[in-house]
Amino acid sequence: MAKREPGERKRAILHTLAEMLEQPKGEKITTALLASRLDVSEAALYRHFASKAQMFEGLIEFIEETVFSLVNKIQTDETMKDDGMKQIEAIVAMLLNFAQKNIGMTRVLIGDALVNEDERLQVRMNQLHDRLEASMRQSARLAATSGALHSSLDPNAFANALMAFIVGRWHQFAKSGFKRTPNEMWAAQWPVFAG
């Protein structure tokens, strides 16, 4: 039997948890159900994670690392670093595409999967939303300084409206049973924000 790489079992647990979150019905995920999907005992799960909350924290860490790495890449990209509107368009598109490519994570992003879990998880997800809004606010201020954002628009309100749009699209995606894609009509909707 081949020896597992360190962290491989932990990644398998998180991957399976994310797959289970892709089910449109959104059944309550128990450690017993997760263990049976992995064909291991519940005790085996607890050798890698102290609690189910810690498993969800692993998913949130994946989301944070991925999206903020991409936001940073967008904001420092040579072709966009001086163009706040291009940054915003790219960030919104990336967040919509992230949900589409990581279906189960969408239920974490909107807090659906965190209902009946430790409330600190929802607090952490709210902080993630706030950080995303702050990143868009930074780009909106850049756009306002360069004159690309209409002078009648407040960069703070603009970033907040964009975040509300993104969360709304994530909700539509999850509530449609993952049928209405988050980036559906995005190209046609961007001019509403860019106008």
Side-chain angles (χ1 to χ4, degrees):
M1 181 183 266
K3 187 171 164 98
R4 287 188 181 274
E5 290 287 318
E8 188 179 333
R9 174 58 78 184
K10 209 172 187 174
R11 282 191 297 277
I13 292 168
L14 293 177
H15 180 74
T16 303
L17 176 57
E19 281 181 344
M20 291 171 73
L21 290 170
E22 291 178 13
Q23 301 311 309
K25 295 272 189 265
E27 65 182 307
K28 182 163 172 49
I29 296 172
T30 62
T31 52
L33 187 59
L34 179 58
S36 74
R37 290 273 172 90
L38 287 159
D39 201 25
V40 299
S41 68
E42 281 185 80
L45 294 178
Y46 290 116
R47 280 195 287 276
H48 300 282
F49 294 96
S51 64
K52 189 167 59 157
Q54 204 177 67
M55 293 175 207
F56 278 108
E57 283 178 333
L59 294 180
I60 293 170
E61 282 168 18
F62 168 80
I63 292 169
E64 288 172 338
E65 288 169 14
T66 304
V67 299
F68 288 111
S69 154
L70 292 169
V71 165
N72 186 48
K73 195 179 278 186
I74 289 166
Q75 291 181 323
T76 58
D77 182 290
E78 280 301 315
T79 64
M80 289 187 261
K81 78 175 187 186
D82 296 324
D83 190 334
M85 291 306 280
K86 272 190 179 173
Q87 289 178 15
I88 290 167
E89 181 181 12
I91 290 169
V92 173
M94 176 273 292
L95 291 170
L96 298 177
N97 286 324
F98 177 84
Q100 189 161 330
K101 290 177 183 163
N102 300 280
I103 295 171
M105 299 297 182
T106 304
R107 293 192 52 226
V108 176
L109 284 164
I110 64 171
D112 251 19
L114 307 177
V115 173
N116 301 321
E117 300 299 336
D118 190 310
E119 79 177 49
R120 79 178 189 281
L121 297 171
Q122 188 59 60
V123 168
R124 189 163 172 188
M125 192 49 49
N126 292 344
Q127 289 169 340
L128 181 139
H129 287 208
D130 291 344
R131 285 177 60 202
L132 287 171
E133 186 174 327
S135 294
M136 285 188 283
R137 190 167 39 248
Q138 179 183 338
S139 295
R141 286 186 182 131
L142 176 64
T145 303
S146 70
L149 184 66
H150 195 278
S151 60
S152 67
L153 294 174
D154 173 62
N156 299 329
F158 186 67
N160 180 262
L162 286 165
M163 197 63 214
F165 170 80
I166 292 162
V167 172
R169 294 312 299 261
W170 289 340
H171 268 278
Q172 274 185 331
F173 185 43
K175 300 303 179 190
S176 72
F178 305 114
K179 289 177 179 61
R180 289 193 70 183
T181 61
N183 60 11
E184 168 187 28
M185 297 185 287
W186 167 239
Q189 291 167 330
W190 170 242
V192 172
F193 293 103

